[in-house]
Amino acid sequence: MNDQDIHADRSAEKIRILLADDHALVRRGVRLILDREPDLEVVAEAGDGAEAIAMARTHDVDLAVLDIAMPRLTGLQAARELTSLKPGLRILMLTMHDNEQYLFQALKAGAGGYVLKSVADRDLVAACRAAMRDEPFLYPGAVTALIRNYLDRVRHGEEAPEQLLTPREEEVLKLVAEGHSSKEIAELLFISVKTVQRHRENLLHKLGLRDRLELTRYAIRAGLVEP
């Protein structure tokens, strides 16, 4: 493979980014941060949300980095449109607003990360790479806000923690993960084999899993069994 082929391979691996902000100076600064990375490349720029959508239609992009406060369409409105237009497109919000309301709206709109402009030079590159791995990226204050919001909902009875599975389903899950057969589980829990099988089917359906191995991994993550 010659140098030209190697260069072509590297460029093909780059994360293609659409950058939208209504301030040209901000776009220039953000572009400098991103383009100096070997795996990131800004391939399209937009000055507002509507232009961002138009650019997404005409350019092959993997990731959209959107300011929240923009004319015509805000970044939040653009994110909703882009999620519908290009379901595989990852979205990051880049904003000066350390604001819980904006944070929750951004997550609802389909954003996978929320980066503050004040620390963009520190966080943005990592956030872009996390987004492409389908991992959420939130600054520490945002994580605190999410936890506080969740605990408030629990206290007000809007969300019941750990009620995805019934107590019986948790018992069955633990025993499945420990390697017991349906017959052994039936004997241990004093239920029929058919009931055990029904519980297993319910577990797979509720948790969106496919087989015993995935059930075991889930049980380990949930702390039901030791790895």
Side-chain angles (χ1 to χ4, degrees):
M1 184 181 284
N2 61 36
D3 289 345
Q4 192 172 358
D5 290 336
I6 291 169
H7 179 73
D9 276 358
R10 282 179 182 160
S11 64
E13 291 168 5
K14 286 192 174 187
I15 298 167
R16 298 162 299 181
I17 298 169
L18 162 63
L19 173 61
D21 193 293
D22 57 323
H23 295 99
L25 274 175
V26 173
R27 290 203 307 274
R28 191 179 308 160
V30 172
R31 184 169 195 145
L32 283 171
I33 293 170
L34 297 174
D35 281 350
R36 71 188 178 203
E37 299 297 322
D39 57 332
L40 305 176
E41 182 181 16
V42 177
V43 298
E45 289 188 31
D48 60 52
E51 192 180 349
I53 292 166
M55 287 289 180
R57 290 182 187 275
T58 56
H59 291 72
D60 288 327
V61 292
D62 307 302
L63 172 67
V65 178
L66 309 174
D67 182 24
I68 284 185
M70 293 190 289
R72 293 213 288 170
L73 283 180
T74 68
L76 296 169
Q77 291 169 318
R80 283 190 282 269
E81 286 285 327
L82 289 170
T83 300
S84 174
L85 179 69
K86 290 195 166 185
L89 180 68
R90 275 72 163 197
I91 296 171
L92 283 179
M93 305 310 297
L94 178 65
T95 177
M96 61 186 289
H97 301 288
D98 183 357
N99 179 297
E100 288 185 21
Q101 195 57 41
Y102 279 137
L103 165 65
F104 292 124
Q105 287 180 25
L107 297 177
K108 283 179 184 174
Y114 193 94
V115 179
L116 295 178
K117 287 181 180 177
S118 58
V119 289
D121 57 335
R122 185 193 72 196
D123 287 353
L124 185 56
V125 169
C128 288
R129 291 172 180 153
M132 295 310 298
R133 295 192 302 267
D134 285 326
E135 295 174 5
F137 187 96
L138 300 171
Y139 64 98
V143 176
T144 302
L146 283 174
I147 293 169
R148 186 165 57 242
N149 178 268
Y150 173 75
L151 292 175
D152 283 346
R153 294 207 316 271
V154 170
R155 273 195 290 271
H156 290 94
E158 295 172 31
E159 181 118 10
E162 301 178 354
Q163 292 223 339
L164 179 61
L165 304 180
T166 67
R168 177 63 89 193
E169 285 169 344
E170 275 200 357
E171 289 173 345
V172 172
L173 173 59
K174 179 173 170 59
L175 292 169
V176 167
E178 288 174 351
H180 295 282
S181 68
S182 292
K183 185 171 182 294
E184 289 169 340
I185 294 170
E187 289 170 357
L188 284 165
L189 298 180
F190 303 101
I191 54 178
S192 70
V193 171
K194 190 174 285 187
T195 301
V196 173
Q197 290 167 343
R198 190 174 70 248
H199 282 310
R200 284 179 65 153
E201 287 168 10
N202 287 343
L203 284 165
L204 291 170
H205 178 71
K206 274 188 179 182
L207 301 174
L209 304 177
R210 290 171 300 185
D211 53 31
R212 181 186 198 125
L213 179 60
E214 291 189 351
L215 283 174
T216 302
R217 287 177 181 150
Y218 179 90
I220 290 169
R221 288 199 306 273
L224 293 173
V225 293
E226 293 288 332

